[in-house]
């Protein structure tokens, strides 16, 4: 029998010890990023360039994928003398990563990577590796962005978020609870929201009295609409941070009216966490240019303009191309995440030197409805399907209230158990009130702007 202390240590003390250490490192990075934000735009550009050069040299030394690719192009890292040269390098796609994950792993990190999967909002699940430093830095960058919205580490924070899918183990659930308690946070599962149980979400907010609410935009707007329609008063947080999809102005107004506090727009994705966020001026989103390089590429062209070039005139719109300057384990050099954004050359009244995005488009995820009154945010599907092996692309279409069509492109790893898993997970949230039709196809057409719409609702607006 394992001693009780050993069990306690493994499940209780060690996670605390580890998060204590991790927290210290994350705090050191957070302090560094806090200082960087006030540098002049030129200084930030110089810092970014230095970090990019270091990354490229590392890729040349250690990452077989780039060694081969650059050799084929006849170039070395020394040939890349500025961002214009850099913009000539080929982009990295999800397909590249799926086909060459092993080759993209740096030699010295081969056995030390952590992994994460994403369903992304582009409907193509992806598994990728990252280093511990990269993870801690991402967390720090996220905190810096959340601080602009008035959040602070340790403040009571309520997440209206995606819940667990699959079967989390009891140890895992316990660790989650411990973590949430230690970090003063509570998570509400937005996937279980229905018209009928809205009041229980309002009750949970009243009971927890959060300073900060971080929420998927779709479910938050519906809760806000319900609060306004029913006249229900609710505990007033100090700030609300929208996540996972763009917060549009009309949605911001509804949320602010219902909750009586400012709501902030952020832009992130699972591959990099927070990419850009609004500061207290709420006049564009500051790009985390000391941590990432964000370029905007004209669709169909090789070259791109730099969101962080302070000399570019006016605004420019293009496909988002991102380089993570700190993931040395599996470096993403010029990764296309499928979003489209508009950058502006204007500076922000707050005085931060980080460049601005005017807006981000692209993550179009329609909510799905059921006869039982569920309103399932579009994020549910990428979140759930990211763990399905061999699923290359998918799209969910709702034409009737009682029916969902799941169209899939499957790869070698997909089998009967994958399908059973999908059916089980969907049934868990929507019950049997809705029929799930699964269909396999060779390809799923993109929208005219080159995006894959992951969830499409064609219900008439009187229903949807
Ligand atoms: Zn600002």
């Amino acid at each position: 029998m394992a001693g009780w202390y050993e069990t306690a240590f493994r499940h209780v003390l060690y996670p605390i010890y580890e998060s204590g250490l991790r927290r210290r490192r994350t705090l050191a990075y957070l302090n560094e990023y806090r200082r960087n934000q006030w540098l002049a735009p030129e200084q930030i550009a110089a810092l970014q360039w230095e970090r990019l050069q270091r990354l490229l040299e590392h890729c040349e030394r250690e990452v077989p994928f780039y060694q081969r690719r650059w050799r084929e192009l006849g170039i070395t890292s020394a040939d890349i003398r500025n961002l214009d040269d850099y913009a000539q390098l080929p982009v990295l796609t999800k397909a590249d990563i799926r086909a060459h994950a092993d080759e993209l792993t740096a030699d010295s990190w081969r056995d030390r990577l952590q992994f994460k999967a994403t369903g992304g909002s582009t409907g193509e699940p992806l598994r990728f590796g990252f280093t511990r430093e990269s993870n801690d830095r991402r967390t720090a960058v996220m905190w810096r962005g959340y601080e602009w919205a008035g959040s602070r580490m340790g403040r009571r924070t309520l997440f209206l978020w995606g819940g667990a899918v699959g079967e989390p183990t009891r140890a895992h659930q316990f660790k989650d609870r411990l973590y949430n308690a230690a970090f003063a946070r509570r998570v509400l599962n937005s996937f279980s929201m229905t018209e009928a149980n809205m009041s229980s979400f309002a009750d949970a907010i009243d009971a927890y009295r959060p300073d900060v609410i971080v929420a998927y935009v779709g479910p938050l707007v519906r809760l806000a609409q319900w609060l306004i329609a029913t006249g229900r008063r609710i505990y007033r947080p100090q700030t609300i941070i929208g996540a996972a999809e763009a917060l549009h102005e009309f949605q911001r107004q509804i949320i602010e009216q219902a909750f009586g506090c400012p709501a902030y727009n952020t832009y992130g994705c699972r591959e990099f966490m927070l990419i850009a966020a609004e500061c207290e001026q709420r006049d564009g989103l500051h790009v985390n240019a000391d941590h990432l390089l964000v370029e905007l590429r004209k669709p169909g062209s090789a070259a791109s303009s730099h969101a962080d070039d302070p000399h570019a005139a006016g605004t420019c719109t293009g496909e988002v191309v991102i380089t993570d300057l700190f993931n040395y384990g599996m470096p993403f050099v010029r990764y296309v995440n499928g979003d489209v954004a508009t950058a502006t050359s204007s500076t922000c009244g707050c005085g931060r030197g980080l460049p601005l995005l005017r807006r981000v488009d692209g993550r179009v995820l329609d909510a799905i409805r059921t006869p039982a009154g569920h309103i399932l945010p579009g994020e549910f599907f990428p979140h759930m399907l990211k763990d399905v092996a061999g699923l290359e692309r998918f799209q969910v279409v709702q034409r009737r209230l009682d029916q969902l069509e799941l169209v899939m492109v499957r790869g070698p790893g997909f089998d009967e158990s994958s399908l059973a898993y999908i059916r089980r997970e969907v049934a868990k949230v929507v019950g049997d009130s809705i029929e799930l039709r699964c269909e396999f196809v060779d390809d799923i057409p993109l929208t005219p702007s080159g995006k894959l719409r992951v969830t499409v609702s064609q219900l008439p607006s009187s229903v949807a």
Side-chain angles (χ1 to χ4, degrees):
M1 173 183 137
W4 68 268
Y5 180 77
E6 185 190 328
T7 309
F9 179 79
R10 202 151 9 103
H11 294 303
V12 183
L13 299 177
Y14 183 70
I16 291 173
Y17 169 79
E18 189 198 45
S19 55
L21 273 184
R22 301 278 307 252
R23 198 164 146 112
R24 218 178 309 153
R25 234 180 337 239
T26 304
L27 278 173
Y29 293 135
L30 177 56
N31 283 328
E32 177 200 319
Y33 287 118
R34 277 182 185 141
R35 285 193 300 274
N36 291 347
Q37 66 185 327
W38 301 110
L39 295 173
E42 302 76 38
Q43 292 174 298
I44 291 175
L47 181 66
Q48 184 186 54
W49 175 244
E50 187 190 306
R51 291 176 167 179
L52 179 63
Q53 276 181 307
R54 210 185 311 147
L55 177 78
L56 293 177
E57 285 160 18
H58 166 77
C59 290
E60 189 162 54
R61 249 189 339 262
E62 294 209 18
V63 185
F65 179 82
Y66 298 111
Q67 289 168 347
R68 177 171 57 79
R69 214 180 220 198
W70 297 349
R71 200 171 43 237
E72 283 164 10
L73 292 168
I75 56 162
T76 69
S77 66
D79 294 322
I80 301 159
R81 283 150 308 188
N82 51 49
L83 288 180
D84 290 330
D85 291 344
Y86 187 65
Q88 302 302 318
L89 286 180
V91 294
L92 182 73
T93 64
K94 285 194 170 71
D96 289 331
I97 296 165
R98 264 201 302 270
H100 306 285
D102 196 56
E103 249 194 311
L104 276 161
T105 307
D107 294 335
S108 63
W109 283 97
R110 203 146 279 278
D111 303 313
R112 295 185 289 154
L113 285 187
Q114 309 174 40
F115 286 89
K116 219 188 236 188
T118 169
S121 38
T122 54
E124 298 169 284
L126 181 75
R127 188 169 177 268
F128 59 93
F130 54 96
T131 66
R132 180 170 270 222
E133 174 180 347
S134 162
N135 186 62
D136 293 348
R137 282 185 174 274
R138 289 163 183 214
T139 308
V141 163
M142 182 202 71
W143 278 111
R144 177 176 69 177
Y146 281 17
E147 282 179 1
W148 299 336
S151 174
R152 286 266 164 191
M153 216 185 258
R155 268 197 156 171
R156 288 175 80 76
T157 303
L158 185 133
F159 290 80
L160 180 58
W161 210 240
V165 292
E167 306 288 344
T169 62
R170 290 187 47 195
H172 193 99
Q173 286 174 7
F174 182 68
K175 203 176 157 184
D176 270 0
R177 271 208 302 278
L178 187 80
Y179 179 88
N180 288 337
F183 287 85
R185 36 178 271 170
R186 163 132 207 242
V187 181
L188 298 183
N189 182 1
S190 73
F191 296 156
S192 66
M193 185 183 269
T194 69
E195 287 295 351
N197 68 12
M198 287 288 187
S199 63
S200 68
F201 283 84
D203 294 344
I205 291 169
D206 277 340
Y208 190 66
R209 304 170 67 82
D211 296 320
V212 182
I213 294 179
V214 181
Y216 283 0
V217 172
L220 183 67
V221 169
R222 283 190 297 273
L223 181 58
Q225 284 166 329
W226 179 86
L227 290 169
I228 293 167
T230 57
R232 161 92 187 243
R233 305 281 296 244
I234 195 166
Y235 179 79
R236 184 174 174 162
Q238 286 160 24
T239 185
I240 291 182
I241 300 171
E245 55 188 320
L247 175 69
H248 299 292
E249 273 322 303
F250 75 94
Q251 296 171 317
R252 194 196 309 262
Q253 284 168 18
I254 294 167
I255 294 166
E256 295 188 346
Q257 186 192 339
F259 288 90
C261 74
Y264 290 78
N265 190 8
T266 65
Y267 172 45
C269 67
R270 230 175 126 75
E271 294 91 318
F272 307 107
M273 286 172 71
L274 191 69
I275 298 166
E278 284 184 324
C279 70
E280 58 278 1
Q281 305 276 325
R282 299 195 287 165
D283 189 25
L285 297 91
H286 284 288
V287 177
N288 296 312
D290 48 347
H291 179 73
L292 304 165
L293 169 62
V294 176
E295 307 166 78
L296 299 179
R297 185 173 76 134
K298 292 277 168 235
S301 78
S304 37
S305 41
H306 309 290
D308 9 42
D309 179 356
H311 306 297
T315 64
C316 70
T317 299
E319 286 177 315
V320 176
V321 179
I322 303 185
T323 303
D324 183 331
L325 300 171
F326 285 101
N327 186 6
Y328 277 47
M330 190 188 272
F332 282 12
V333 168
R334 307 201 71 227
Y335 175 71
V336 188
N337 73 352
D339 292 327
V340 172
T342 300
T344 168
S345 60
S346 58
T347 52
C348 184
C350 70
R352 290 181 182 86
L354 297 168
L356 290 175
L357 292 181
R358 178 61 60 219
R359 53 179 294 152
V360 180
D361 300 300
R363 289 161 299 158
V364 189
L365 296 170
D366 290 348
I368 296 298
R369 300 203 157 221
T370 74
H374 270 94
I375 317 146
L376 204 52
E379 284 79 12
F380 170 76
F381 291 93
H383 187 79
M384 183 266 289
L385 293 169
K386 71 182 189 294
D387 297 320
V388 177
L391 183 59
E392 295 194 342
R393 260 194 195 186
F394 62 88
Q395 186 174 51
V396 179
V397 183
Q398 183 169 34
R399 294 193 174 87
R400 290 168 39 178
L401 193 56
D402 58 354
Q403 200 178 79
L404 269 187
E405 292 160 45
L406 174 60
V407 182
M408 294 175 275
V409 178
R410 65 192 147 168
F414 195 95
D415 58 22
E416 280 303 310
S417 66
S418 317
L419 200 56
Y421 172 86
I422 292 169
R423 290 195 173 281
R424 201 166 55 238
E425 290 302 321
V426 171
K428 237 192 251 174
V429 215
V430 302
D432 54 9
S433 65
I434 197 160
E435 180 199 355
L436 180 68
R437 293 193 161 185
C438 296
E439 190 191 335
F440 298 103
V441 295
D442 293 331
D443 195 20
I444 298 172
L446 303 178
T447 64
S449 63
K451 308 270 306 175
L452 174 62
R453 286 182 72 195
V454 174
T455 59
V456 182
S457 174
Q458 297 180 350
L459 295 182
S461 54
S462 58
V463 184

